């Protein structure tokens, strides 16, 4: 029986991954933790505790006391926020990962770790279309540098100590349960909230900034599939490319206007524009499909319907 620790369970991914893992492994076997309170759904369905991943002593106590077998480490400072406090973001993103990897090296019962990477590992010198799994990687953001270094560390721990840490280079994730947490792709979440709340949205990226994106259900299913794959099926021990669907703000606006004809978008690029311009537009994820069966179910139309319905229902409650 697995005992799973989620770090960052209040966040955009954690709030949905926690519930998906509780369905598979049983509510009482999935321990949600974060620096801040989680959703009512998570509190009412299973264990939750405030835990700071930077506090390595409490972390090791927790893992041993609850006989944890898997950790999903989701706490990080995302791209937009990281540019505001670069050294602090570097410290949190790197030290937290090293705390977890070292724990996995020392504690025999702890068999598997999941830690997300990002399309931010790529930079302006990377081929932007059909970005391959193995390619030039010269990220020019603090967040991207921390994710690339993290990928190198997890592969190092695998090769040197046999630590089974797995990772996905997530594209921008889109969901309505929790608002997005300080990233460059957040426009594709905010736009839906503002469409429902205000009928208009000022986009901080230009209309033709095409980026890879993925609806949260597809991301959660991909994560679970990767974690359930036999280790000998995996040819990558850093992080897998996962592409999802690629679109720009203009295309997303067109989808929203089909459903809300009075919706108005305007564009005012900010400091996140050069970050987005340094990232790929379309990712080649054929290796993830081949090694562990990556599939996606949401296209831009299904994603738009689901986001608008979900946010409407959330506001009706
Ligand atoms: P988020 O900001 O929504 O959630 C992160 C959570 O971590 C927050 O609830 C925060 O309170 C918690 N946290 C922060 N510092 C902590 C600490 N010291 N101890 C414990 N918890 C702490 O982020 P997210 O969007 O859910 O992203 C989760 C992971 O996925 C991150 O590693 C992120 O880089 C990665 N990722 C996200 C996306 C995306 O589009 N959301 C894309 C690529 C990669
Ligand atoms: C961000 O924009 O920082 C994240 C990511 C793609 O890693 N959504």
């Amino acid at each position: 029986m697995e005992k799973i620790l989620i770090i960052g369970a209040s966040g955009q991914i954690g709030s949905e991954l926690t519930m998906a893992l509780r369905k598979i492994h049983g509510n009482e076997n999935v321990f949600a933790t974060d620096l801040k309170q989680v959703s009512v759904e998570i509190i009412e369905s299973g264990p939750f505790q405030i835990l700071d991943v930077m506090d390595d002593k409490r972390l090791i106590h927790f893992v041993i006391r609850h006989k944890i077998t898997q950790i999903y480490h989701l706490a990080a400072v995302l791209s937009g926020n990281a540019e505001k406090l670069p050294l602090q973001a570097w410290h949190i993103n790197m030290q937290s990962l090293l705390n977890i990897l070292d724990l996995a090296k020392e504690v025999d019962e702890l068999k598997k770790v999941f830690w997300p990477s990002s399309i931010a590992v790529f930079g302006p010198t990377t081929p932007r279309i059909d970005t391959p799994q193995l390619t030039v990687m010269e990220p020019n953001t603090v967040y991207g540098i921390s994710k690339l270094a993290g990928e190198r560390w997890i592969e190092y721990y695998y090769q040197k100590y046999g630590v089974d840490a797995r990772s996905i280079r997530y594209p921008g994730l889109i969901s309505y349960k929790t608002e997005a947490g300080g990233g460059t792709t957040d426009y594709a979440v905010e736009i839906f909230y503002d469409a429902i709340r205000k009928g208009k949205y000022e986009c901080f990226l230009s209309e033709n900034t095409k980026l890879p994106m993925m609806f949260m259900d597809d991301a959660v299913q991909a994560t679970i599939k990767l974690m359930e794959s036999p280790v000998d099926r995996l040819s990558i021990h850093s992080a897998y490319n996962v592409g999802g669907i690629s679109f720009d703000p203009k295309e997303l606006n067109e989808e929203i206007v089909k459903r809300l004809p009075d919706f108005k978008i305007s564009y005012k690029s900010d400091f996140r524009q050069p970050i987005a311009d340094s990232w790929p537009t379309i990712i080649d994820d054929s290796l993830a499909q081949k090694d562990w069966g990556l599939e996606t179910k949401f296209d831009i139309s299904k994603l738009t319907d689901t986001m608008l319905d979900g946010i409407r229902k959330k506001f009706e409650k």
Side-chain angles (χ1 to χ4, degrees), residues 11-13 34-35 51-53 74-76 116-117 143 147 170-171 173:
Q12 195 195 0
I13 302 175
D34 201 294
L35 276 185
L51 182 72
D52 183 351
V53 65
L74 308 174
S117 185
Y143 177 68
K147 290 295 183 188
Y170 287 131
L173 300 182

Side-chain angles (χ1 to χ4, degrees), residues 230-249:
V231 71
D232 56 11
R233 293 269 307 275
L234 307 180
S235 59
I236 295 291
H237 296 283
S238 55
Y240 277 91
N241 271 12
V242 161
I245 42 173
S246 290
F247 56 78
D248 61 28

Side-chain angles (χ1 to χ4, degrees), residues 143-286:
Y143 177 68
I145 299 169
S146 76
K147 290 295 183 188
L148 182 54
E151 287 192 11
R152 298 292 82 228
W153 274 114
I154 67 171
E155 184 157 355
Y156 181 86
Y157 268 74
Y158 173 74
Q159 284 172 350
K160 193 105 181 169
Y161 309 115
V163 169
D164 185 359
R166 304 182 183 192
S167 181
I168 285 175
R169 292 173 183 153
Y170 287 131
L173 300 182
I174 301 178
S175 65
Y176 59 83
K177 293 210 170 144
T178 308
E179 293 192 42
T184 301
T185 57
D186 290 10
Y187 91 84
V189 176
E190 290 173 6
I191 193 171
F192 289 105
Y193 276 93
D194 279 11
I196 301 279
R197 276 192 293 228
K198 305 178 189 162
K200 60 180 184 176
Y201 178 62
E202 184 178 272
C203 184
F204 58 77
L205 297 181
S206 65
E207 63 177 359
N208 50 7
T209 309
K210 189 180 209 149
L211 288 168
M213 302 278 185
M214 185 175 250
F215 191 65
M216 188 60 80
D217 291 20
D218 281 339
V220 165
Q221 288 317 311
T223 306
I224 291 171
K225 249 189 169 171
L226 171 64
M227 287 299 274
E228 287 181 348
S229 279
V231 71
D232 56 11
R233 293 269 307 275
L234 307 180
S235 59
I236 295 291
H237 296 283
S238 55
Y240 277 91
N241 271 12
V242 161
I245 42 173
S246 290
F247 56 78
D248 61 28
K250 186 163 168 265
E251 289 167 282
L252 190 55
N253 174 49
E254 283 162 8
E255 288 297 323
I256 296 174
V257 169
K258 278 186 209 161
R259 292 148 178 94
L260 299 172
D262 293 333
F263 175 68
K264 292 274 174 295
I265 191 166
S266 56
Y267 298 94
K268 192 172 175 205
S269 294
D270 70 9
F271 71 100
R272 289 165 282 192
Q273 185 67 51
I275 302 180
D277 290 342
S278 76
W279 290 353
T281 54
I282 300 171
I283 301 273
D284 173 6
D285 57 20
S286 48

Side-chain angles (χ1 to χ4, degrees), residues 76-91:
V77 184
L78 277 78
S79 58
N81 285 345
E83 291 307 301
K84 295 177 194 157
L85 289 167
L87 294 184
Q88 199 173 317
W90 170 259
H91 179 61

